Amino acid sequence: MDRDKKRGLFITFEGIDGAGTTTQAALLHETLEATFDKCLLTREPSDGPVGMLIRQILSGRLLGSVAKGDATPFDRRSLALLFAADRIDHLASEVLPAIRQGIQVVSDRYLLSSLAYQSLDSDETWVLEINKNAPRPDITILLEVQVDEALGRLAACRSNIDIFEKKQILEKVAANYKRFTSKVGGMVKIVNGQGTVEQVRRAVWNAISPLLSNKKLGAGS
Ligand code: TYD
């Protein structure tokens, strides 16, 4: 992203399922709202039409043939393209207009998720290629948690488990996150996500606050 003092910051949260991205994105949004007039909390898959389709695919609801006993897995390259399409639409309809108006944007997941998850089944160069027009966030917070801890959290709060939420898969996703952190470009800060919600919130704030020093600063500590 270009550095213009009047525009808002684009902050993204990443991590394996159960890492706490949704919780911490919401808490950071709350903190920023106390400091700035406006702040947008958003997510990927987005709440736009492509994002809604993706959520149905992930939860298995679009595998219509399951009922007939011949479940055909949704093609993973098609899914990778849907994530990239959702991202373009999300950027154009929500993220970029907000940033241009000086609004701080916090997104629960973004580009690094595509690299970590879609390169499980698709060539990583191709995944990068289909996402090449996605601008890098000002900062990405990567929440690191052990896979067993993440699975425990998911089991405690979910009635249905998404297609990516299996132990071996999450281990590969965690390794991909490590690998792509240095490759993706833009600033990525790794934050230990194993502590209490409040401890992680403070660690996130410590990572974000230097970027806010040329804006209105003061909340969160
Ligand atoms: P998640 O963010 O956990 O949302 P919810 O809390 O509603 O389940 O789920 C989104 C899933 O989508 C998660 O498993 C990661 C995956 N994902 C990708 O595979 N690629 C992407 O580009 C994005 C944004 C998400």
Side-chain angles (χ1 to χ4, degrees):
M1 293 243 121
D2 58 337
R3 296 232 162 242
D4 169 358
K5 281 192 178 176
K6 283 195 210 119
R7 68 161 188 76
L9 284 178
F10 183 28
I11 302 165
T12 61
F13 279 84
E14 294 284 356
I16 61 173
D17 295 271
T21 59
T22 305
T23 303
Q24 293 299 332
L27 286 172
L28 178 67
H29 175 255
E30 207 178 280
T31 305
L32 289 174
E33 258 194 342
T35 313
F36 297 94
D37 290 343
K38 281 188 199 155
C39 180
L40 173 71
L41 176 62
T42 184
R43 63 179 182 169
E44 288 190 4
S46 76
D47 293 315
V50 187
M52 306 226 309
L53 176 63
I54 293 171
R55 283 182 191 281
Q56 292 193 344
I57 294 165
L58 292 181
S59 65
R61 270 174 287 154
L62 269 197
L63 298 179
S65 49
V66 169
K68 295 181 213 143
D70 63 338
T72 309
F74 194 85
D75 184 273
R76 296 304 171 91
R77 286 157 309 165
S78 304
L79 187 58
L81 288 165
L82 286 181
F83 276 117
D86 182 43
R87 185 155 301 125
I88 291 174
D89 179 51
H90 184 217
L91 281 162
S93 63
E94 284 192 73
V95 177
L96 295 177
I99 286 170
R100 284 190 203 111
Q101 287 171 57
I103 296 171
Q104 324 301 326
V105 176
V106 178
S107 183
D108 177 7
R109 299 193 178 280
Y110 183 66
L111 174 62
L112 204 48
S113 283
S114 277
L115 297 173
Y117 286 83
Q118 274 59 69
S119 67
L120 292 175
D121 319 277
S122 302
D123 175 62
E124 68 181 60
T125 316
W126 178 71
V127 177
L128 271 167
E129 175 68 19
I130 59 175
N131 282 286
K132 72 176 180 201
N133 292 325
R136 293 334 183 229
D138 294 293
I139 182 166
T140 294
I141 299 291
L142 174 58
L143 296 175
E144 264 194 348
V145 297
Q146 301 296 316
V147 168
D148 286 335
E149 164 75 21
L151 284 169
R153 292 180 188 178
L154 290 170
C157 67
R158 293 279 177 85
S159 53
N160 65 322
I161 295 286
D162 279 354
I163 56 177
F164 293 123
E165 297 172 351
K166 306 247 165 65
K167 183 164 177 163
Q168 294 91 329
I169 296 178
L170 282 195
E171 272 162 0
K172 287 188 189 155
V173 174
N176 278 348
Y177 265 122
K178 277 209 170 80
R179 209 155 56 80
F180 284 109
T181 294
S182 52
K183 271 194 183 182
V184 69
M187 186 192 298
V188 183
K189 293 256 180 173
I190 299 175
V191 167
N192 180 357
Q194 296 265 139
T196 63
V197 168
E198 182 55 25
Q199 283 167 338
V200 180
R201 187 189 78 91
R202 282 174 188 274
V204 166
W205 182 254
N206 289 340
I208 300 284
S209 49
L211 269 81
L212 297 165
S213 54
N214 66 348
K215 300 182 184 280
K216 231 196 278 174
L217 177 62
S221 49

